[in-house]
Amino acid sequence: MNTNLGTGIIGGGIGGLTAALALIRKGFEVTVFEQASVLAEVGAGLQLSPNGVRVLCALGLEQALREICFEPEGKEIRLWNTGDTWKLFDLGVESSARYGFPYVTVHRNDLHQILVKAVEAASPGAIRLDHRFHQVEQDSGKVTLAFEGQPSAKFDVVIGADGVHSKARELLFGAGPAKFTGIVAWRGVIPVELLPERLTRPIGTNWVGPGGHVIHYPIRRGELINFTSVIERQDWTTESWMSAGTNQEYHDDYPGWHEDVHAYIAAIPQPFKWALIARPPMQEWVNGRVALLGDACHPSLPFLAQGAVMALEDACILARAFEEFDTIDEALDHYQKARIPRTTRAVMGAYANTERFHNPTLADPRNAQAYVDEQWAADKVVERYEWLFRYDATSVSLTEPEAMV
């Protein structure tokens, strides 16, 4: 495909910037439009499994990633009230040996800044701030984007990477069904100096219990602990990462949970809460010369730790499709055909983990042992994660996508 192709990307988040960088690396002209006036990602921690790290390394970001990440030694399951512990799987050097790349944890903002710097270095001025997208028109093979208070812009192809509340999705495919899950999520970031040493171990921990679960792991070279949890409750339906809560309300949501869980909650400088809204996977991502990417087309519940990683894979496959096929139509068609089965399986896997992590069987320690032994048996862990971690977005066939079985 002609690298003089004009490509517009709506959204300067992790997915949009990775797509921009991947396309620029292959010689394409790209402009990214971001509604914010300052490029600063909100949020907290991200888990990047080997399949996602592979993409970042292929883009030349390995050293930058190593400077800001943490590499956990392993993952474990803990029971909500007794603290009983089961090893889920080893990470660290074992991940690199098994999959070729490490499993790392990062602060979302650190990863975002790496991508911003890389895009600006590769194509100065490619990122346009203060551009709130609100309309799209397609005519004669061109796509015109309109922005609030800014001049419109015309492109040969456009990528909608504008997140879970995607305006591009709404305009081209309709808002689609969205349903409150009855689950509220909490998050906070804790400086390690605020915690006793026993709570700063170099591993990722998943506490499971009836009606809720808790996840925590080190980020930013081990200087911070990312603490995220969910609980089943019906009285909060605001889907925003920036709604502040109180530590006392956070404590109140976890009655009877282990003292370690409450020690983390007490140490969070400012907790935030948001409602989890479920949206079914889309089975069509392309409308004419516009294609969606990341959370815009496959938003997922955060129970498989693959949301950001799926966006990284999308970006890699999209850029490869632009390079490998002769026309825009061919490229976009192969892109969505390669990605929809895999991202759909990931979304459904996250749904399945809701019941697994919150099962009422976990309420009684006498039954919990057998339940955890069954649900996190070695063969079931392999079944849930191996297909994810071994995927290679840099080389998987785009003409014969692998079966998602």
Side-chain angles (χ1 to χ4, degrees), residues 1-57:
M1 194 183 299
N2 185 351
T3 56
N4 290 326
L5 193 72
T7 304
I9 295 179
I10 306 167
I14 287 172
L17 291 176
T18 305
L21 184 61
L23 287 164
I24 292 167
R25 292 274 196 256
K26 293 184 181 297
F28 291 93
E29 297 181 1
V30 178
T31 305
V32 179
F33 297 98
E34 168 56 39
Q35 65 181 6
S37 57
V38 178
L39 274 174
E41 277 272 329
V42 299
L46 288 175
Q47 300 181 66
L48 299 179
S49 52
N51 46 309
V53 174
R54 182 192 300 273
V55 172
L56 294 172
C57 290

Side-chain angles (χ1 to χ4, degrees), residues 15 18 293-295 298 306-316 339:
T18 305
L293 180 148
D295 282 349
H298 50 80
Q306 288 292 305
V309 172
M310 288 296 108
L312 296 178
E313 290 183 357
D314 288 350
C316 180
R339 295 301 299 158

Side-chain angles (χ1 to χ4, degrees), residues 209-227:
H213 75 276
V214 171
I215 294 174
H216 53 80
Y217 48 83
I219 56 175
R220 191 173 285 169
R221 301 170 296 275
E223 297 165 15
L224 304 170
I225 298 293
N226 184 70
F227 190 86

Side-chain angles (χ1 to χ4, degrees), residues 150-394:
Q150 298 281 8
S152 61
K154 186 172 290 189
F155 297 95
D156 298 296
V157 62
V158 166
I159 307 303
D162 48 344
V164 67
H165 299 293
S166 172
K167 186 68 174 179
R169 180 185 66 224
E170 176 187 337
L171 291 172
L172 295 171
F173 299 94
K179 181 181 179 181
F180 175 50
T181 60
I183 298 174
V184 173
W186 286 90
R187 67 176 175 88
V189 176
I190 311 168
V192 293
E193 59 266 23
L194 300 182
L195 293 166
E197 187 175 351
R198 65 183 176 82
L199 298 183
T200 61
R201 296 162 58 224
I203 59 172
T205 301
N206 185 355
W207 298 77
V208 294
H213 75 276
V214 171
I215 294 174
H216 53 80
Y217 48 83
I219 56 175
R220 191 173 285 169
R221 301 170 296 275
E223 297 165 15
L224 304 170
I225 298 293
N226 184 70
F227 190 86
T228 306
S229 66
V230 301
I231 199 73
E232 295 175 8
R233 53 182 276 195
Q234 299 291 331
D235 62 336
W236 184 264
T237 58
T238 301
E239 190 184 23
S240 170
W241 272 53
M242 295 305 292
S243 296
T246 68
N247 296 75
Q248 187 57 56
E249 182 188 4
Y250 203 162
H251 283 299
D252 292 344
D253 267 354
Y254 291 85
W257 283 63
H258 194 272
E259 63 180 1
D260 284 358
V261 171
H262 287 281
Y264 284 113
I265 293 173
I268 296 173
Q270 174 60 69
F272 295 89
K273 61 181 178 178
W274 73 102
L276 294 183
I277 308 298
R279 295 171 174 83
M282 296 177 64
Q283 297 306 306
E284 187 72 30
W285 296 0
V286 176
N287 181 319
R289 294 287 182 90
V290 183
L292 303 180
L293 180 148
D295 282 349
C297 48
H298 50 80
S300 174
L301 297 178
F303 302 155
L304 197 62
Q306 288 292 305
V309 172
M310 288 296 108
L312 296 178
E313 290 183 357
D314 288 350
C316 180
I317 294 294
L318 178 73
R320 286 184 53 210
F322 273 45
E323 182 181 52
E324 293 180 25
F325 297 101
D326 293 333
T327 69
I328 294 172
D329 292 343
E330 284 182 292
L332 296 183
D333 184 55
H334 281 89
Y335 158 67
Q336 68 173 348
K337 285 179 177 177
R339 295 301 299 158
I340 287 176
R342 179 167 169 83
T343 57
T344 298
R345 184 177 177 186
V347 170
M348 300 313 295
Y351 279 124
N353 273 346
T354 308
E355 182 177 353
R356 183 174 295 115
F357 292 170
H358 297 184
N359 199 286
T361 304
L362 295 163
D364 188 343
R366 293 171 297 180
N367 300 323
Q369 173 78 51
Y371 179 80
V372 174
D373 287 344
E374 175 195 1
Q375 291 296 317
W376 282 276
D379 60 333
K380 291 192 175 181
V381 172
V382 168
E383 179 183 346
R384 290 200 288 269
Y385 294 99
E386 197 78 359
W387 70 277
L388 285 166
F389 295 174
R390 287 198 178 280
Y391 182 85
D392 184 354
T394 68

